[in-house]
Amino acid sequence: MGKVALIHRALYGGKSAGRDFRNHLRSCMAHLGFDSCPDDPDVWMRPSTKADGSTYHTYILLYTDDALAVSENPEKVLREELRRYFRLKEKSIGPPSIYLGGRVRKVTLENGVEAWAFGSSQYVQAAVKNVEEYLGKQTRYKMPAKAETPLKTTYRAELDVTPELKPQESAYYQSLIGVLRWIVELGRIDTCLETSIMSSHLALPREGHLEQLFNMFAYLKKYHNAELVYDPTLPDIDMKDFEEMDWASSEFFHIQGKEALPGNMPEPRGVGFVIWAKVDADHASDTVTRRSRTGLIVYLN
């Protein structure tokens, strides 16, 4: 106590450890010719050329101690390039089986096309176990024995007038929301709406809100073994079903007379794809504020 310590290297958990690691990471990736994606700084990309002469981007996804390479020869990228700066476990180099807590595997679809599948069962089961351990230490709350839907069908979070949670329980509520949001990121889009609804009450959670989170974990416990399959098949879209619109008067067109594109947009490379989206909103569904909640599903291919 009362003495100054001079740190000669970045220590895990130190105040500046995250910054120092990020600076080191950026320096290493720059030496390898990779740039950080403007939209997602954890995605690193580099212009590359395949053996047949076609151009594409090599990607390396780096998140803390997870690394995923997307390339014509990803093992070569990991062994001969990334290994210059980072220690890689030999047994971890190969086709991915787990990434960011989710299981990854290749599946063959009914049309014979190979696709990647991403499942969060392992993470979900671990999260459910942690909740059950918490509930086992107290008698006030319990996890429902059955939950066929994430939230009870008649429940309205904005109308909940149960007592406000105490500070410790409020912090626990907020931590559970963080877990549920990560579960959505891992592909459980069937809980996205409910997680969004319950996230609206982070500032003032109530006992009824917490009980509904336990209901969500009961639902995840029963339906933990879900997967999100990324089908690369091009969609068969009949453009006759869509009304042709004139965008000449929109704010993205009228100034320069052409589509406005980001100035730092990477050079288009590789095989093209089709972007299509589905948008819907539950008009004025919040019975107190009359606010709507909008949902978007965007498909690539």
Side-chain angles (χ1 to χ4, degrees):
M1 295 293 293
K3 295 184 179 180
V4 177
L6 185 62
I7 301 176
H8 293 281
R9 63 185 180 91
L11 297 177
Y12 180 79
K15 188 174 182 179
S16 61
R19 180 205 63 188
D20 293 340
F21 175 75
R22 182 68 188 181
N23 289 341
H24 171 69
L25 177 64
R26 181 175 291 278
S27 175
C28 295
M29 297 306 288
H31 278 93
L32 296 176
F34 285 88
D35 292 318
S36 181
C37 176
D39 188 58
D40 188 340
D42 293 315
V43 176
W44 299 83
M45 52 197 299
R46 179 180 67 187
S48 304
T49 304
K50 291 185 178 181
D52 61 5
S54 59
T55 60
Y56 72 107
H57 278 106
T58 290
Y59 295 97
I60 297 182
L61 285 64
L62 296 174
Y63 191 86
T64 312
D65 59 348
D66 280 354
L68 185 66
V70 182
S71 175
E72 184 179 30
N73 192 338
E75 288 198 24
K76 183 178 179 181
V77 174
L78 293 173
R79 294 181 187 278
E80 299 183 11
E81 298 190 68
L82 203 63
R83 222 177 201 174
R84 297 181 198 172
Y85 303 102
F86 302 98
R87 289 184 181 180
L88 303 179
K89 296 179 181 178
E90 181 61 33
K91 64 179 181 180
S92 68
I93 300 178
S97 59
I98 188 169
Y99 184 67
L100 301 182
R103 287 287 180 183
V104 185
R105 69 186 184 105
K106 265 192 174 183
V107 297
T108 302
L109 306 179
E110 293 180 356
N111 57 4
V113 174
E114 285 192 338
W116 286 103
F118 196 78
S120 58
S121 178
Q122 181 177 350
Y123 182 87
V124 167
Q125 290 184 86
V128 170
K129 182 180 178 182
N130 288 338
V131 172
E132 289 177 329
E133 290 178 352
Y134 170 85
L135 293 174
K137 297 176 182 177
Q138 51 82 58
T139 58
R140 189 170 187 176
Y141 301 99
K142 63 179 181 178
M143 186 179 293
K146 290 184 179 181
E148 295 298 329
T149 56
L151 297 182
K152 292 182 179 179
T153 55
T154 58
Y155 181 73
R156 305 293 304 187
E158 72 275 15
L159 298 180
D160 196 315
V161 292
T162 56
E164 299 172 10
L165 293 177
K166 296 179 180 179
Q168 187 173 359
E169 291 176 330
S170 295
Y172 184 63
Y173 179 92
Q174 293 163 353
S175 70
L176 290 184
I177 288 293
V179 172
L180 289 168
R181 290 183 64 178
W182 186 247
I183 288 174
V184 172
E185 291 286 338
L186 292 180
R188 292 304 300 265
I189 58 176
D190 55 326
T191 62
C192 182
L193 171 63
E194 292 78 7
T195 301
S196 174
I197 291 173
M198 302 313 295
S199 296
S200 300
H201 301 276
L202 283 168
L204 188 62
R206 298 177 178 274
E207 292 178 1
H209 296 148
L210 183 56
E211 289 174 352
Q212 289 303 307
L213 292 196
F214 294 142
N215 191 87
M216 291 183 68
F217 279 98
Y219 168 82
L220 289 167
K221 180 180 181 179
K222 182 175 182 179
Y223 300 104
H224 65 85
N225 203 25
E227 276 186 324
L228 195 62
V229 179
Y230 299 91
D231 183 359
T233 307
L234 286 172
D236 184 15
I237 302 176
D238 189 352
M239 300 308 296
K240 296 178 181 178
D241 295 336
F242 298 89
E243 181 182 355
E244 189 171 342
M245 305 296 294
D246 180 11
W247 297 97
S249 61
S250 75
E251 62 174 309
F252 301 106
F253 186 91
H254 79 281
I255 296 178
Q256 297 177 338
K258 59 182 181 180
E259 182 183 3
L261 298 175
N264 60 346
M265 183 179 71
E267 174 193 357
R269 285 172 168 253
V271 180
F273 53 85
V274 177
I275 301 178
W276 54 299
K278 294 183 178 180
V279 184
D280 200 0
D282 54 352
H283 178 66
S285 63
D286 191 307
T287 56
V288 175
T289 64
R290 309 311 298 172
R291 291 179 177 176
S292 303
R293 196 173 301 273
T294 304
L296 300 93
I297 301 179
V298 181
Y299 296 88
L300 301 182
N301 277 9

